[in-house]
Amino acid sequence: MYKKLLSNISSYIHLSEEEKIELETLFLLKRIKKNEFFLKEGEVANSVGFINSGLFRYYLNEDGEIKTFAFSKENEYISNHESFLTKTPSTKSIQALEDSEILVISREGLKKFYEEFNEGEKFGRKIMEGLFIYYLQELTSFYSHSPEQRYLKILEQQPELIQRISQYHIASYLGIKPQSLSRIRSRLA
């Protein structure tokens, strides 16, 4: 159950055997069914999850219009970092698109990890740097690439996601209507 998590963390920092054992006490298993939420708009994010299996989407509701802005899958972390870091209600929701199994660490557990593990703070810095770069690239792509170019990028970099995510959610992520995505797919076929 903890193998993927330990492997992921070990790809960033060195963990002693004692730290590996301690980590298993800080992360708790949580199963989330398809369409259930890891975090709902209005809740404060008090934990971070590591996805053992499953798929999630991040979205916001702007006056009744649902806008998907990210997806997270196996071997990735999920949380609304803005809400988590500021301890304010989330303006976004994180919903399971598949039955999922995640390992969750509380705010207090993460604080312990950062403060008491030899390279805990280094791990946190590396994760946040990676998220910062990812979201800058996504923002730049949204404004500098067409929906078709962004769709081609998904096909090239994460083709398995196209099979796992509904056309409706992909269209929302691209900022277009499902009919427009159908036209893009027809042109590319």
Side-chain angles (χ1 to χ4, degrees):
M1 173 171 58
Y2 292 96
K3 187 176 182 180
K4 289 180 185 178
L5 173 68
L6 294 173
S7 175
N8 180 277
I9 293 173
S10 295
S11 72
Y12 292 96
I13 61 171
H14 171 75
L15 290 170
S16 69
E17 289 305 313
E18 295 80 20
E19 288 174 331
K20 289 178 183 177
I21 293 167
E22 179 69 18
L23 265 178
E24 292 182 12
T25 67
L26 295 177
F27 282 85
L28 303 175
L29 177 65
K30 184 173 184 179
R31 290 183 174 90
I32 301 177
K33 295 278 187 201
K34 181 178 179 175
N35 296 322
E36 291 181 349
F37 291 86
F38 175 74
L39 180 71
K40 289 183 181 178
E41 177 183 353
E43 297 175 345
V44 175
N46 288 311
S47 61
V48 174
F50 175 80
I51 306 171
N52 257 348
S53 64
L55 178 66
F56 291 82
R57 75 175 175 128
Y58 294 69
Y59 72 88
L60 53 94
N61 183 341
E62 251 183 28
D63 299 322
E65 186 178 350
I66 302 299
K67 296 183 178 182
T68 299
F69 65 90
F71 299 101
S72 288
K73 62 184 183 330
E74 294 84 7
N75 296 312
E76 295 178 352
Y77 296 90
I78 59 170
S79 187
N80 178 339
H81 303 289
E82 177 186 12
S83 172
F84 184 85
L85 293 171
T86 62
K87 300 179 185 176
T88 58
S90 177
T91 58
K92 301 152 187 79
S93 296
I94 304 173
Q95 182 183 36
L97 295 178
E98 301 173 348
D99 288 347
S100 302
E101 182 180 276
I102 60 175
L103 295 168
V104 178
I105 188 168
S106 67
R107 179 184 308 282
E108 298 76 26
L110 192 58
K111 182 179 178 193
K112 182 175 184 174
F113 177 53
Y114 288 164
E115 292 175 356
E116 296 180 16
F117 284 59
N118 285 332
E119 296 184 358
E121 286 186 351
K122 180 180 177 183
F123 173 77
R125 178 181 51 81
K126 286 185 171 190
I127 291 293
M128 285 303 168
E129 287 171 351
L131 285 170
F132 179 74
I133 290 167
Y134 169 79
Y135 283 115
L136 277 179
Q137 290 172 341
E138 285 294 301
L139 183 63
T140 301
S141 178
F142 191 80
Y143 286 106
S144 62
H145 297 107
S146 70
E148 185 169 325
Q149 290 170 315
R150 293 180 71 221
Y151 181 73
L152 285 169
K153 181 181 169 189
I154 297 170
L155 279 176
E156 178 186 313
Q157 294 179 353
Q158 301 183 77
E160 76 286 353
L161 284 184
I162 299 299
Q163 304 302 317
R164 296 171 67 185
I165 300 171
S166 74
Q167 187 167 326
Y168 173 81
H169 293 316
I170 293 170
S172 174
Y173 172 73
L174 297 173
I176 59 177
K177 301 290 182 204
Q179 300 85 343
S180 298
L181 178 57
S182 290
R183 286 191 291 275
I184 289 171
R185 293 173 78 173
S186 293
R187 275 197 306 273
L188 296 174

